């Protein structure tokens, strides 16, 4: 368990050695896996052991650590608050950047005495990029692997998510009365019912409607996903994502009130995260899919264009485009190991 400086108690799971044993835990390079929004560490364990990224990494000699963000099943503790307390949910992904990520990285670094590789999916990529743009944790990280990278959401073309964005923005004050955004709760069920009644919205296949047409999911994997996921987050976090999608900006949470923004940031509008400040020689690997409607390829290419001109010697800046992959394929596709993870291993071995 890891306690953040703002009082949240997070759970980390560790796979110290692979199935074949081999190198002792203290001699293995650590890798931190960070899931996306509405998910938890189970993200990395949905596939069979020979294909799930967490086990693949362990079997290839890495010391694997699996993070669980605040509010999810295994990270609902706090030094003074319960999840029933409204203040517990007063955060967005800004706090994951400033508190959760530093706490987990520091813990792994202190336990192993080694700099670590970071691998994130979806929101897990966003908090890494934001952190790197602020110059945080550079002395403790070897590299960052970003699957379905999210920095900009202005081109997001998931129609279901777009309708959700409009409803969130239109009824922001209403939704802020429900601090916890629980996908399995009645409030979110009512929201989803409203979205599905919008003309032109087909909710027959919710995963496809949200993430895009995933190419390669087995029904057994989807069944496992539905058994353990989705996970709660804060309503404030979802509104923050809605602000990003509506405005096409990469900025801190906007309180939509100049006084409140001044109180939090010392300026009338929220500061932006600048991707250009990420050090040119820090190793980055991006992989994105052609049918992903959340991490839309147009938005990813805006990000890659911002980062162009980086030092790509010795594999320091690598990109992969998988034409038929959508958002869930990256953690649930039956061929993800061959399509994506083998290249991730190649990248890690370079750094």
């Amino acid at each position: 368990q890891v306690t953040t400086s703002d009082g949240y108690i997070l759970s980390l799971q560790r796979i110290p050695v692979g199935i074949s044993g081999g190198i002792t835990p203290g001699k293995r390079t650590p890798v931190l896996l960070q899931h996306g929004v509405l998910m938890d560490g189970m993200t990395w364990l949905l596939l069979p052991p020979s294909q799930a990224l967490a086990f693949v990494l362990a079997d290839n000699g890495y010391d694997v650590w699996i993070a669980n963000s605040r509010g999810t099943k295994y990270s609902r503790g706090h030094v003074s608050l319960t999840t029933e307390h409204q203040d517990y949910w007063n955060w967005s992904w800004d706090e994951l950047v400033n508190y959760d990520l530093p706490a987990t990285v520091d813990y792994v670094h202190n336990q192993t005495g080694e700099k670590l590789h970071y691998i994130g999916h979806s929101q897990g990529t966003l908090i890494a990029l934001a952190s790197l743009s602020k110059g945080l944790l550079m002395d403790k990280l070897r590299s960052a692997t970003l699957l379905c990278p999210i920095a900009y959401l202005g081109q997001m073309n998931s129609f279901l998510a777009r309708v959700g964005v409009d409803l969130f923005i239109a009824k922001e004050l209403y939704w802020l009365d429900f601090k916890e955004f629980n996908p399995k709760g009645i409030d979110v069920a009512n929201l989803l019912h409203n979205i599905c009644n919008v003309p032109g919205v087909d909710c027959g296949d919710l995963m496809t409607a949200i993430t895009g047409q995933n190419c390669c999911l087995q029904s057994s994997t989807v069944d496992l996903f539905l058994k353990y996921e989705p996970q709660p987050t804060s309503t404030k976090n979802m509104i923050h994502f809605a602000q990003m999608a509506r405005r096409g900006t990469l900025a801190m949470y906007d309180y939509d009130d100049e006084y409140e923004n001044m109180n939090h940031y010392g300026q009338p509008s929220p500061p932006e995260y600048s991707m250009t400040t990420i050090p040119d020689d820090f190793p980055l690997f991006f992989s994105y899919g052609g049918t992903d409607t959340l991490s839309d390829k147009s938005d990813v290419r805006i990000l890659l264009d911002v980062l162009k001109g980086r030092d790509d010697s010795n594999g320091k800046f690598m990109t992969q485009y998988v034409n038929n992959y959508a958002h869930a394929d990256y953690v649930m596709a039956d061929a993800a190991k061959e399509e994506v993870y083998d290249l991730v291993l190649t990248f890690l071995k370079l750094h």
Side-chain angles (χ1 to χ4, degrees):
Q1 290 188 330
V2 181
T3 302
T4 67
S5 60
D6 63 341
Y8 290 79
I9 301 172
L10 313 177
S11 171
L12 275 170
Q13 281 79 46
R14 185 184 191 185
I15 309 176
V17 295
I19 196 169
S20 59
I23 308 171
T24 57
K27 303 295 184 182
R28 299 160 73 94
T29 301
V31 180
L32 177 64
L33 301 178
Q34 177 63 59
H35 61 83
V37 69
L38 302 180
M39 298 287 284
D40 65 0
M42 182 61 70
T43 295
W44 310 105
L45 304 169
L46 294 171
L47 290 166
S50 63
Q51 298 170 285
L53 182 56
F55 293 125
V56 169
L57 289 166
D59 289 339
N60 277 273
Y62 291 97
D63 181 6
V64 180
W65 298 75
I66 302 174
N68 295 273
S69 296
R70 61 180 66 187
T72 59
K73 180 178 180 179
Y74 300 106
S75 294
R76 294 174 73 84
H78 191 278
V79 295
S80 62
L81 302 172
T82 71
T83 55
E84 302 301 314
H85 199 291
Q86 297 285 53
D87 286 346
Y88 176 93
W89 298 100
N90 186 23
W91 51 268
S92 79
W93 58 261
D94 287 330
E95 281 67 37
L96 305 186
V97 173
N98 293 322
Y99 301 108
D100 287 29
L101 185 56
T104 52
V105 169
D106 284 349
Y107 186 87
V108 174
H109 182 262
N110 291 337
Q111 289 291 313
T112 63
E114 299 281 344
K115 295 176 70 172
L116 51 146
H117 294 293
Y118 177 93
I119 299 178
H121 176 248
S122 191
Q123 178 182 259
T125 71
L126 173 63
I127 63 175
L129 288 166
S131 176
L132 292 171
S133 76
K134 297 175 67 175
L136 303 176
L137 310 176
M138 298 299 301
D139 59 331
K140 299 181 178 71
L141 296 179
R142 295 172 181 263
S143 72
T145 293
L146 309 171
L147 309 178
C148 305
I150 287 178
Y152 306 102
L153 289 175
Q155 307 300 313
M156 181 182 70
N157 62 9
S158 167
F159 189 56
L160 185 60
R162 278 284 173 189
V163 174
V165 164
D166 291 339
L167 287 177
F168 261 127
I169 296 298
K171 297 185 177 181
E172 180 174 334
L173 292 177
Y174 167 80
W175 275 102
L176 281 173
D177 282 338
F178 302 95
K179 305 296 185 182
E180 177 182 4
F181 187 87
N182 183 355
K184 297 179 179 179
I186 188 169
D187 301 313
V188 177
N190 289 335
L191 173 67
L192 193 59
H193 177 75
N194 291 335
I195 292 174
C196 292
N197 281 335
V198 173
V201 175
D202 179 11
C203 291
D205 180 352
L206 275 177
M207 186 173 290
T208 296
I210 295 170
T211 68
Q213 185 64 56
N214 296 285
C215 71
C216 310
L217 307 187
Q218 296 291 333
S219 59
S220 58
T221 306
V222 175
D223 288 344
L224 190 62
F225 165 81
L226 293 174
K227 180 179 179 180
Y228 292 101
E229 314 295 333
Q231 290 288 320
T233 187
S234 72
T235 298
K236 186 176 180 180
N237 193 35
M238 297 300 287
I239 290 173
H240 196 172
F241 277 111
Q243 291 173 352
M244 293 171 65
R246 174 65 69 86
R247 302 167 190 178
T249 57
L250 177 54
M252 297 181 185
Y253 183 84
D254 190 348
Y255 289 87
D256 283 328
D257 180 281
E258 287 192 5
Y259 175 81
E260 282 297 317
N261 284 335
M262 285 293 295
N263 188 42
H264 283 86
Y265 309 122
Q267 60 187 60
S269 58
E272 295 196 13
Y273 293 96
S274 175
M275 296 295 96
T276 59
T277 60
I278 299 175
D280 286 345
D281 60 350
F282 183 78
L284 294 171
F285 172 70
F286 295 89
S287 185
Y288 62 109
T291 62
D292 192 337
T293 56
L294 292 176
S295 176
D296 185 85
K297 60 186 177 183
S298 298
D299 281 325
V300 177
R301 286 167 182 166
I302 290 172
L303 171 62
L304 296 178
D305 191 53
V306 170
L307 296 172
K308 68 181 179 182
R310 295 178 60 85
D311 179 4
D312 61 359
S313 63
N314 301 316
K316 286 183 179 176
F317 186 61
M318 292 176 59
T319 63
Q320 178 192 34
Y321 173 69
V322 186
N323 184 58
N324 62 335
Y325 265 33
H327 212 70
D329 283 312
Y330 276 86
V331 291
M332 294 170 62
D334 55 0
K337 179 185 180 298
E338 292 75 19
E339 292 281 359
V340 180
Y341 303 162
D342 284 348
L343 188 57
V344 171
L345 288 169
T346 299
F347 172 73
L348 297 185
K349 289 171 184 174
L350 292 173
H351 308 290

